[in-house]
Amino acid sequence: MDSRGAVVLLLMLYLSGGASIKLEGNGFTDIVIAINPAVPENPALIDQIKDMVTNASDDLFTATDRMFYFKRIKILVPPNWTPNNFTAGKTESYEKANVVVVEPNAVYGDDPYTLQYDECGKPGRYIHLTPNFLLNDNLIEAYGPRGKVFVHEWAHLRWGVYDEYNHQTPFYISKEKRIEATRCSKDIKGTRGVPSGNSVQPCSIDPTTGLPTETCQFFPEKNQNTHVSYMYVQSLPAITGFCNDKSHNTEAQNMQNRMCNYRSVWSVIGSSEDFKNSNLMVTPPPAPQFTVLQKGRREICLVLDVSGSMSGYERITRLRQAASLFLREVVEEQSMVGIVQFHSVGSIIKHLTLVHDDASREELVKVLPTSASGGTRICEGIKYGFEVLRKDDQNTDGNEILLLSDGESPVDCLPQVNSSGVTFHAIALGPNYAPEIQTMVDWTGGILVLANDKVDSNGLVDAFNAIKSSDGDLIQQSIQLESSGLKVNSKDWFNGTVSVDKTVGKDTSFLIIWETTVPEITVRSPSGKVYGNAAFVHDTQIKTSVLGINGIAETGDWTYSLLNTLSTSQSLTITVTSRAANASVPPLIVKAHMNQESSNGSRPMLVFAEVSQDGLPVILADVRATIESSTGTIKHELQLLDNGAGADVFRHDGIYSRYFTSLENNGVYSLKVRVQGQGDTARLAVRRHSRALYIPGYVENGQVHLNPQKPSVADGDQQADVGNFSRTASGGAFTVSLVPGSPLPAFPPCKITDLSARLEEDRVLLTWTAPGEDFDQGAAESYEIRMSQDFELLRRNFTYTQLVNSSGLTPKESGSGEEHHFFLDEIAIKNGTIIYFAARAKDKESQNSEVSNIAQAALILPPADPPKGVNVLVLVLSVTGVVAAACIIASTVMCVKKRTPAIYA
């Protein structure tokens, strides 16, 4: 067995710790629920979390037909709460938590939601709850019991299913030509109406669409004869299960149908690995077990490789450059930092030191290693790292080790790492590193970052910048605004702009790294103040020049110009870091990652970047990803998109994504993302998906009981201009390992997910976003478009339906808007006509994409008399002080018009 195979085996033997959820028998364990440091201390929150999960365990057991329950849960309270005999935290962290409890913002209010943006069946990122949701019982009337809400969100998080309602398209026309509420199942009974004073009036029908106007709402009956579905409305007492293949509503225009190709929620859940590895339980499950954890101040030990291989490529110098930035600018105030070096043996060069001012930071910088020799024994360094961390309290629980190594090494300390309670972060410098490093990181919930030997990639600086505190306190964290490098020719310039926005500006620092000699430096502030070489602190030993901006840096565009005065070329890099300008305003942040840590080339990988400020999506930014090999010889640039097509699930949700299809070469790769917002383009927006439904009211015994209306929020995509900003973030490392002897990957076009249709006089207009030749890269070769008046026939037997002539349509570049007009020669358009359309793309190798979403065009004339209203019902208004944010799910609207009023769906 080779070393990487041995790692897999050891991973199976020792896997524990971290924040990953596990399934033991039928019980989920190692669920981490973390409370944000900004949440005021309130022990009642702990009790309410326990009560919610206990009830949810029974609800989940019922919903999954006696299959699953919650077994062991960890509740992580903030370090700034008063200690109360809590268990010491180990590798758990707020950043890696499965559920977070955060103060509400003005847009989302107390809506429970799950951050979810991957493919159907792939887990979400985390569940988001607010303290008010957990403490205010008045919210139960609208959201339902907290345990049931948790089951709804758990299905998003664990099994990657999507919502079965749609705020943007709350009604549609069924194949029976009836107006239906978007729901699952269709057996859920209710009535339509518009609240007005002390009565509920009939809904008006929009004469241009044939559908109820936007003020119309659906009020479900409180007592139902069906028990499904959690992913539609979890609040009703009768709801105890998920829609299965029998009860699933394929016609409903919701995200479950769009994302999961019209599969039922239960079908997706049933195909998960959880079901494959579990059997039905005969007896009811035991009550969940809870452990309340708390971690203290950050304690981190740098474990630095100084073996002989570090003497090449100026690696020791580069180590000192990057580690100096980490110690001066990145590590948070009040942290404890120690330093260990190792080659064939290890040694302590600095015991834990409190970081509390510039002098304490410089005390750490001055002891960084200056030379390299000898062999490589990673476990020697780790042993002394443990010794440093034990010095203060005789244990290592909750501490961190940052390991930097450039070479392979025997690793015989995996059991000690696994049981240490230490979170391991690792920086792999160069193409050769011990594969066990990845195992350590995975086991303990740390971060692995890759850096190559190209100076102008700035990889080592980016790697150290990525190792930040994971306690959720963004105010204290260093924010990387700029990271750029260039091989500059003799007498040539390296120019650029970095934008300082209003959320940052404190402790702003410019770091210039030069390969040979100090360049001529000019940094200009937005007001025109010029900082030249004399304003910088130059260190000729480690080849750095540093400028610190006093106070709060000016908001706006800062420009820099670096002139290489040499007669030969040299590499130059610039890094700009800052912190939050105001303790009450969280900074705009970027988080980047790949959808998986490794690929065998069978499917493309996905690149994700989340851009947000105080939990709100930042949209319309320019987001670029750089993927670079560990050797520095392979480099790919991708523009990430937030357009709701291709790899991107939701348009304008602040999640930018793209497929990565260039998987031709084995090796380890790093991900780096740069984000730029300019002028009034980038804006804050409302994220509109994967959240528990807040019902407007319900019908009981002939009476409509209204829940308090949620306060209105900004509709549409634009809400607030965030101004000019710059951000750079590392997205970690991943591995490409192609199967030996297999052909190079050849991918088809990606699925079209936003096909829409409308009738214009006597012809049809179809619109969609163009896929690519290889998923969302390049341009496809051709399109195949089909239509039918039978929804199920088109869904199940695409190739047996009527072909639309698209021979004159040449596919555009991926991400471009497509249109296709054609006449309906064989279908007579009359009142009641419903036509369904679907499409797929083909590439040059005749590979077909998956069939698109199904677009509906219908012509339905409004009835002569208005539908029977519900004004005869008595309106009962609940008196509660609910403040919550409306959520609106983005959806494609397909309009149909042919001389007479029509409907769209």
Side-chain angles (χ1 to χ4, degrees), residues 855-876:
Q856 180 199 78
L859 181 66
I860 304 292
L861 298 176
D865 298 317
K868 293 182 179 180
V870 289
N871 53 311
V872 297
L873 301 176
V874 178
L875 181 67
V876 179

Side-chain angles (χ1 to χ4, degrees), residues 331-627:
V331 72
E332 298 79 10
E333 289 284 310
Q334 300 302 312
S335 298
M336 300 287 287
V337 181
I339 305 175
V340 164
Q341 65 180 17
F342 71 93
H343 42 79
S344 55
V345 295
S347 61
I348 298 170
I349 56 178
K350 192 67 176 176
H351 283 283
L352 287 176
T353 300
L354 177 65
V355 174
H356 61 94
D357 58 13
D358 289 344
S360 59
R361 292 177 184 272
E362 291 303 320
E363 184 182 340
L364 290 160
V365 169
K366 70 182 181 181
V367 300
L368 289 170
T370 59
S371 61
S373 63
T376 306
R377 295 282 299 184
I378 288 175
C379 287
E380 277 292 305
I382 291 173
K383 178 178 72 175
Y384 283 94
F386 286 160
E387 183 177 328
V388 167
L389 295 173
R390 288 194 190 100
K391 193 73 174 178
D392 62 334
D393 58 5
Q394 303 307 305
N395 75 70
T396 59
D397 287 347
N399 300 156
E400 300 170 67
I401 280 179
L402 171 51
L403 170 69
L404 181 147
S405 180
D406 73 338
E408 295 196 12
S409 161
V411 177
D412 56 6
C413 55
L414 285 176
Q416 292 88 341
V417 167
N418 189 53
S419 62
S420 67
V422 171
T423 298
F424 276 78
H425 311 294
I427 299 173
L429 177 57
N432 302 311
Y433 68 92
E436 292 86 354
I437 289 177
Q438 177 75 65
T439 306
M440 295 179 187
V441 170
D442 289 343
W443 283 357
T444 63
I447 299 170
L448 173 64
V449 194
L450 182 70
N452 60 48
D453 286 311
K454 290 182 62 180
V455 175
D456 55 335
S457 75
N458 215 26
L460 198 54
V461 169
D462 294 338
F464 271 97
N465 256 304
I467 312 301
K468 302 171 184 177
S469 172
S470 58
D471 64 1
D473 188 356
L474 297 177
I475 301 299
Q476 301 301 321
Q477 288 188 9
S478 173
I479 306 295
Q480 190 173 17
L481 307 186
E482 174 77 324
S483 171
S484 188
L486 185 69
K487 187 80 169 179
V488 184
N489 293 327
S490 170
K491 312 302 181 182
D492 207 350
W493 292 89
F494 173 25
N495 301 314
T497 300
V498 57
S499 302
V500 177
D501 60 279
K502 59 189 176 184
T503 69
V504 294
K506 182 182 177 183
D507 298 337
T508 302
S509 170
F510 289 74
L511 168 67
I512 312 295
I513 293 176
W514 28 276
E515 187 177 17
T516 308
T517 193
V518 182
E520 182 180 313
I521 306 170
T522 303
V523 172
R524 190 182 301 271
S525 76
S527 65
K529 183 175 181 179
V530 176
Y531 300 84
N533 285 54
F536 282 74
V537 176
H538 308 283
D539 188 329
T540 56
Q541 285 191 334
I542 63 173
K543 303 177 181 179
T544 62
S545 300
V546 179
L547 169 67
I549 304 299
N550 294 325
I552 304 297
E554 291 181 47
T555 299
D557 290 344
W558 291 66
T559 62
Y560 57 86
S561 297
L562 311 180
L563 173 63
N564 177 20
T565 59
L566 295 176
S567 59
T568 59
S569 64
Q570 71 165 331
S571 292
L572 302 174
T573 73
I574 182 168
T575 304
V576 183
T577 59
S578 190
R579 280 189 166 84
N582 189 321
S584 63
V585 180
L588 187 153
I589 60 171
V590 175
K591 297 180 180 180
H593 69 99
M594 305 296 293
N595 70 323
Q596 56 197 57
E597 292 180 350
S598 62
S599 172
N600 63 6
S602 60
R603 277 189 57 80
M605 300 184 72
L606 287 90
V607 188
F608 294 115
E610 178 190 357
V611 188
S612 64
Q613 194 272 319
D614 195 20
L616 300 179
V618 176
I619 64 172
L620 304 176
D622 182 54
V623 183
R624 309 273 173 166
T626 300
I627 294 173

Side-chain angles (χ1 to χ4, degrees), residues 56 304 318 547:
L304 307 175
R318 294 180 58 217
L547 169 67

